[in-house]
Amino acid sequence: MDIAVNTSGSRYHVDKNGYYGRFGGAYIPEMLYPNVEELRQNYMQILSDTGFQQQFAHLLSDYVGRPSPLYLAQRLSEKYQANIYLKREDLNHTGAHKINNTIGQILLAQRLGKKRIIAETGAGQHGVATATVCALMGMECVVYMGSVDIERQAPNVARMKMLGATVMPATSGSRTLKDATNEAIRDWINNPVDTHYIIGSVVGPHPYPDMVARFQSVISEEIMRQLLEKTGRAYPDYVMACVGGGSNAAGAFFHFLDHEKVQLIPVEAAGKGVNSGFSAATSQLGRPGVIHASKTLLMQTEDGQIVEPHSISAGLDYPGVGPLHAHLFETGRARFLHATDDEALAAAFELTRLEGIIPALESSHALARLGDLALQPDDVVVVCLSGRGDKDMATYIRHLEQFTKS
Ligand SMILES: *Cc1c(COP(=O)(O)O)cnc(C)c1O
């Protein structure tokens, strides 16, 4: 398996100090140092271990259902006049790519001798993926969630509870994701010996961004193999993925980062419009700052207060972006695009009617930019379909009449 591939010397992967260019690092309080340092010292050795890799591969295949298909979307390809493949992360157990990372991290926690798992969640998708692997392994699970989100996301709260997790409300600040993260960090400081903190995206202090990217890199590893089988070439012309924190994009890009002929297209959520004041297009609006112990691009006011992001999709509603993506933006290695709420909705209905696949609203942001690439008929485009749309049905139902002609 390639999760432990040696990336030293790469311009785009993490360096030995935990940085991507000038982004990344571990800006942690002193009291968190032992926990993060234990991870940093051990993660590559654990990921390199053959036994670990076998267990990870086994669970990905028999529990998650991997490899996820690489599907040539015929009618979508006809519409955009290119060869468009969908990487079907929507078909994974629990409905999205997040399970790849939680499987990897729970196996790692076991190797470190941890007995208890904590996590933060916004909309509840990462909380459900974490509660799922904790049930699988019979481990204690505590998920911190803003009390506002607990009210808004009742079905996911019920799933987590059914899976045996304790859902702890965060009642400070705006009572959403950022406050839940603060509570989780506080818990970790108080329980350094027996607890592992499963972070849900390529964010947080080093080594999390690299570790999570490696667990998600199974996506690009499979894309290369599947594309070679189907087309005789392993490298596509374009890889597109939506970006919240950036983990599905990091996984879809990972093995292509140093192959500069592969054009990387991350798509952020522009909400009601990039300059509307209701947006989550961090690369466009952000400035360097520190969020969740990592130096990265961050939406902030003049005096450094975090600006509340907005997106129709809860998974993209994040005021920062992982340090890898900040670096890909700054170096120009990736071409960052963005899509509004309305454009994502339209793309979701389009895919559904052309291919019979109801995508997650997050993934629909990537689909929404297919028309902007000036594609040639021979071009091979891979879109990471990060999740399925079941969780978004309430939103889709509200827009059914707008997008369905009788
Ligand atoms: C959480 C989520 C995302 C956003 O997270 P990334 O770390 O940016 O991948 C995207 N799509 C789906 C379906 C999600 O659940």
Side-chain angles (χ1 to χ4, degrees):
M1 267 195 124
D2 274 352
I3 55 169
V5 67
N6 182 352
T7 56
S8 61
S10 165
R11 273 187 74 193
Y12 302 111
H13 288 278
V14 78
D15 68 22
K16 63 182 192 317
N17 299 317
Y19 281 83
Y20 301 84
R22 63 176 171 137
F23 299 110
Y27 297 79
I28 48 174
E30 190 72 23
M31 290 169 82
L32 213 54
Y33 184 80
N35 310 36
V36 174
E37 186 58 14
E38 180 186 30
L39 259 188
R40 190 189 69 77
Q41 284 184 7
N42 291 293
Y43 86 107
M44 277 312 295
Q45 201 180 336
I46 292 173
L47 265 64
S48 307
D49 178 73
T50 313
F52 179 88
Q53 293 188 6
Q54 281 171 351
Q55 222 179 342
F56 185 51
H58 161 71
L59 285 174
L60 288 184
S61 89
D62 292 7
Y63 187 71
V64 175
R66 304 201 72 91
S68 67
L70 184 70
Y71 165 66
L72 175 60
Q74 287 282 3
R75 299 213 315 137
L76 195 67
S77 295
E78 250 163 63
K79 162 129 202 208
Y80 291 101
Q81 290 291 301
N83 305 289
I84 300 171
Y85 290 85
L86 303 177
K87 184 57 175 159
R88 300 289 310 274
E89 295 302 299
D90 61 313
L91 294 177
N92 293 342
H93 179 44
T94 69
H97 65 292
K98 288 200 172 72
I99 191 86
N100 305 326
N101 169 48
T102 57
I103 294 265
Q105 284 203 49
I106 199 129
L107 292 177
L108 180 121
Q110 288 181 325
R111 297 285 167 124
L112 291 172
K114 307 294 177 183
K115 303 276 177 267
R116 178 172 175 270
I117 297 295
I118 58 172
E120 84 296 336
T121 197
Q125 296 301 111
H126 173 57
V128 169
T130 302
T132 298
V133 296
C134 287
L136 175 68
M137 298 300 177
M139 280 170 85
E140 184 186 347
C141 181
V142 177
V143 179
Y144 289 91
M145 190 170 186
S147 56
V148 168
D149 290 334
I150 288 179
E151 262 169 56
R152 288 194 292 207
Q153 310 289 342
N156 275 342
V157 174
R159 281 187 191 102
M160 287 184 267
K161 288 184 173 167
M162 186 166 172
L163 287 159
T166 304
V167 180
M168 293 289 287
T171 55
S172 62
S174 57
R175 292 169 290 146
T176 57
L177 177 62
K178 144 177 86 59
D179 313 289
T181 305
N182 291 339
E183 295 288 332
I185 289 174
R186 203 161 303 147
D187 180 310
W188 207 23
I189 288 173
N190 291 329
N191 299 281
V193 179
D194 69 335
T195 298
H196 174 70
Y197 178 13
I198 299 190
I199 293 184
S201 190
V202 285
V203 301
H206 178 66
Y208 278 101
D210 184 52
M211 182 171 76
V212 175
R214 285 174 181 277
F215 289 139
Q216 293 293 359
S217 75
V218 61
I219 299 174
S220 51
E221 188 184 338
E222 287 177 5
I223 290 172
M224 288 176 76
R225 197 172 61 231
Q226 292 168 321
L227 209 56
L228 185 63
E229 240 165 60
K230 288 175 199 294
T231 69
R233 52 185 275 204
Y235 296 97
D237 297 293
Y238 297 89
V239 183
M240 304 181 81
C242 65
V243 173
S247 69
N248 87 91
F253 296 169
F254 195 90
H255 291 290
F256 302 121
L257 285 172
D258 292 315
H259 296 266
E260 307 229 6
K261 282 202 175 129
V262 180
Q263 297 194 50
L264 308 177
I265 317 285
V267 183
E268 294 177 312
K272 297 185 193 304
V274 171
N275 295 309
S276 65
F278 297 91
S279 169
T282 307
S283 72
Q284 306 303 308
L285 299 169
R287 286 181 296 115
V290 172
I291 182 171
H292 300 145
S294 177
K295 186 170 177 198
T296 189
L297 291 173
L298 174 60
M299 288 165 46
Q300 54 188 308
T301 59
E302 283 296 318
D303 54 353
Q305 297 295 312
I306 290 171
V307 172
E308 284 293 322
H310 167 86
S311 169
I312 193 170
S313 66
L316 304 185
D317 204 349
Y318 184 68
V321 67
L324 162 66
H325 294 290
H327 182 55
L328 295 178
F329 177 73
E330 194 162 80
T331 56
R333 172 66 186 93
R335 179 174 155 209
F336 281 71
L337 302 178
H338 45 80
T340 63
D341 292 351
D342 289 344
E343 289 170 331
L345 275 170
F349 279 89
E350 179 181 87
L351 184 74
T352 304
R353 294 303 290 268
L354 286 178
E355 298 289 343
I357 298 169
I358 301 179
L361 261 169
E362 288 85 357
S363 326
S364 306
H365 286 72
L367 295 164
R369 289 279 75 88
L370 272 169
D372 294 12
L373 297 183
L375 296 170
Q376 302 298 312
D378 287 343
D379 282 346
V380 171
V381 183
V382 176
V383 183
C384 186
L385 204 68
S386 56
R388 67 177 85 125
D390 304 32
K391 68 183 179 56
D392 298 313
M393 282 314 297
T395 307
Y396 291 149
I397 287 166
R398 279 199 296 279
H399 295 86
L400 253 184
E401 284 188 19
Q402 183 185 341
F403 289 103
T404 50
K405 301 166 206 83
S406 50

